[in-house]
Amino acid sequence: MKMFVSAYACEPGLGSEIGVGWHWVLELSRQFDLWVLTRESNRARIESWMATHPGHESIHFVYYDLPKWARWWKKGMRGVRIYYNLWQRRTNRLVRETMEREGIKVYHLLTYGNALWPASRYGQQQYFVWGPIGGLDTIPREYTRHYGFRWRMIESVRRMVIKSLPWNSGFQRRCQNADLIFCKSLSMMESIKPLYREKAMLMTDVAVDLSQTQLRPRTRQEDGTIRMLMVGRLDAWRGFDLAIEALSQIADRYPSLRLDILGNGSDCERIVQLVNQFGMQQRVKLHGNVPMETYRQMMADCDIVLNPCLKEGAVTTAFDSLANGRPLVCIETGGYTRYFHDDYAIVIPRGPRKEVIHQLAEAMVRLTDKDFRESLGRRAQEAGRSFSWALKGEEIRQILREHFVES
């Protein structure tokens, strides 16, 4: 069977959403002939990878970017929302022409998985697979009042947008047109009207990439320090402030704890101010954006992985902790966290802010016990084998096969 996949973010050898798009495409190609629409800027890395990895003749890439004069303002994640909306609208004709020429009846909008962002009008009129989608979680005011002005406004607008979902014609039209909806979290599924919810199912978009990170040797010397690692864009909702406050509460009693933060973003200034405010300059190090190879080595060298995101985020890092056999401390999101259990991770309920910080601090204290920490790590690595991309791919393909037969 042929399938058209819209994968704006799709490139080999990278993490986050762009790596998720790539892995999904590879797994889908084991069952389907694919025509994959992605950005022209991804072409060089994709064609280089394809040239050195024969046997993927079932994947046909279709590339498109806006003209240079129409994208001069786009740089990295800056302007991505506007650019993506324009990109989807400008590629609708390309989707139609390709699907009609190749006789393709199935359209899968894979990335970006934000439920508020558009999909091809023509694609929605075919057999429409949507997602995994998310982006409809909100952060309680108890947390956002600690944010800077910009992020308080962003979250206020997000609350209003999500409250208006019943009157959001684009979102409701996509729900109506979709034949199958993959939802990243339970809250995403509950945002869909009961009329359309029978078409939806929970599906985390990430799996464990055993080929990239498993068994990578440590490079740092044992010096008695316990290194914790947090990774992601420095957005306020990602909870970096919670981890820093938690560490500050126990720093005097547990001087061996250190925290490395990888990533950059608009909340960086506030994070730096918090580090200075709590006198944690010797305990917390902000590394900014680093190459993928550096990230993988720091993942292998750390002792604990923290993901204090208050909604779905840093999911790739969470699953990389399994591949590397590192215990994860995270906050319950109703999505990817259902894969993490007490025998190899510490999952903290998203309750009152002070209680969450207290529980983060307690988790750090518990993991200073080397035997306990290493025991969780071994079980995490064992569990990771059950969540590999190979098994994830078979799950995706089986679901699609069943739905296509029913249709």
Side-chain angles (χ1 to χ4, degrees):
M1 182 177 288
K2 297 179 179 181
M3 178 186 296
F4 189 98
V5 180
S6 178
Y8 175 95
C10 179
E11 200 172 339
L14 298 177
S16 193
E17 186 133 14
I18 199 164
V20 168
W22 180 254
H23 279 290
W24 270 71
V25 165
L26 291 184
E27 294 304 328
L28 288 172
S29 71
R30 298 176 185 271
Q31 178 76 33
F32 307 99
D33 285 333
L34 302 181
W35 276 257
V36 182
L37 174 63
T38 191
R39 290 195 60 191
E40 178 69 36
S41 60
N42 298 337
R43 181 194 288 265
R45 288 180 64 92
I46 288 174
E47 292 187 348
S48 175
W49 189 94
M50 296 288 282
T52 56
H53 295 78
H56 294 86
E57 291 78 10
S58 61
I59 311 176
H60 314 273
F61 285 96
V62 181
Y63 300 99
Y64 179 82
D65 266 340
L66 297 180
K68 283 187 177 180
W69 62 265
R71 68 173 192 269
W72 59 268
W73 46 269
K74 170 74 171 67
K75 184 175 179 58
M77 293 303 294
R78 187 186 70 189
V80 66
R81 179 188 296 271
I82 296 173
Y83 187 90
Y84 178 81
N85 277 262
L86 293 172
W87 187 85
Q88 278 290 352
R89 286 169 170 78
R90 289 291 298 270
T91 55
N92 185 64
R93 180 177 177 181
L94 186 57
V95 173
R96 177 176 57 80
E97 291 176 349
T98 304
M99 294 186 71
E100 288 180 347
R101 182 181 67 248
E102 302 296 340
I104 305 170
K105 303 299 182 184
V106 180
Y107 172 80
H108 183 186
L109 177 61
L110 178 57
T111 64
Y112 277 124
N114 190 313
L116 297 174
W117 293 10
S120 163
R121 294 190 304 275
Y122 180 82
Q124 290 184 64
Q125 296 164 12
Q126 312 309 305
Y127 190 98
F128 177 27
V129 181
W130 188 22
I133 56 170
L136 300 185
D137 300 286
T138 59
I139 308 301
R141 286 185 174 84
E142 180 184 3
Y143 289 87
T144 60
R145 65 184 178 86
H146 293 268
Y147 298 170
F149 176 78
R150 178 176 181 269
W151 276 102
R152 291 200 306 273
M153 292 301 99
I154 288 174
E155 291 300 330
S156 294
V157 171
R158 179 178 295 275
R159 292 189 198 102
M160 289 188 290
V161 169
I162 292 173
K163 284 182 180 179
S164 69
L165 278 180
W167 304 278
N168 185 316
S169 59
F171 173 73
Q172 297 303 334
R173 183 168 56 251
R174 290 188 290 276
C175 290
Q176 179 182 3
N177 292 338
D179 294 277
L180 175 61
I181 307 172
F182 291 133
C183 298
K184 294 182 182 181
S185 66
L186 185 61
S187 61
M188 177 66 242
M189 183 178 291
E190 291 173 344
S191 297
I192 298 172
K193 285 183 177 180
L195 175 65
Y196 309 127
R197 201 174 296 163
E198 64 179 13
K199 299 184 290 187
M201 64 174 58
L202 281 174
M203 174 66 73
T204 296
D205 56 346
V206 180
V208 176
D209 186 2
L210 298 177
S211 66
Q212 291 292 340
T213 52
Q214 191 179 33
L215 302 179
R216 179 181 290 261
R218 287 192 176 199
T219 59
R220 72 179 178 91
Q221 299 297 316
E222 294 293 340
D223 57 1
T225 61
I226 301 171
R227 305 209 75 92
M228 302 182 291
L229 181 66
M230 289 197 300
V231 183
R233 288 195 308 274
L234 300 188
D235 298 334
W237 59 266
R238 290 180 180 266
F240 292 100
D241 57 334
L242 306 178
I244 291 169
E245 288 194 44
L247 180 58
S248 72
Q249 293 181 359
I250 59 173
D252 291 341
R253 290 180 289 134
Y254 297 92
S256 59
L257 287 169
R258 298 290 187 275
L259 176 58
D260 292 303
I261 299 176
L262 306 186
N264 209 339
S266 60
D267 202 39
C268 183
E269 183 178 349
R270 183 176 72 102
I271 297 303
V272 171
Q273 289 175 351
L274 280 175
V275 171
N276 294 335
Q277 175 185 332
F278 292 113
M280 304 289 288
Q281 297 91 332
Q282 302 304 314
R283 299 295 192 89
V284 180
K285 184 173 182 180
L286 280 74
H287 297 263
N289 293 329
V290 300
M292 180 59 70
E293 183 63 23
T294 301
Y295 158 72
R296 288 173 178 153
Q297 192 58 60
M298 291 186 72
M299 175 66 71
D301 287 344
C302 76
D303 300 289
I304 302 163
V305 177
L306 301 182
N307 184 14
C309 289
L310 293 165
K311 55 185 178 181
E312 289 286 286
V315 182
T316 300
T317 298
F319 278 82
D320 283 349
S321 74
L322 296 176
N324 285 274
R326 301 293 179 265
L328 175 72
V329 180
C330 61
I331 296 174
E332 176 65 59
T333 67
Y336 84 92
T337 49
R338 70 183 188 278
Y339 291 94
F340 290 84
H341 305 290
D342 291 343
D343 54 346
Y344 56 85
I346 299 177
V347 182
I348 296 169
R350 196 184 80 169
R353 187 177 186 275
K354 286 185 177 180
E355 180 60 24
V356 167
I357 292 172
H358 174 71
Q359 291 193 48
L360 281 170
E362 282 194 335
M364 294 175 187
V365 170
R366 291 178 64 194
L367 289 167
T368 58
D369 184 316
K370 184 177 181 181
D371 292 339
F372 176 65
R373 185 172 69 246
E374 292 183 350
S375 174
L376 258 62
R378 286 191 297 270
R379 292 197 292 269
Q381 195 164 46
E382 292 172 4
R385 299 188 184 99
S386 301
F387 307 134
S388 69
W389 272 111
L391 295 176
K392 182 78 170 183
E394 180 52 41
E395 178 189 9
I396 296 165
R397 294 189 296 272
Q398 179 64 30
I399 291 170
L400 292 175
R401 284 195 297 266
E402 292 174 355
H403 277 76
F404 294 156
V405 168
E406 291 174 0
S407 64

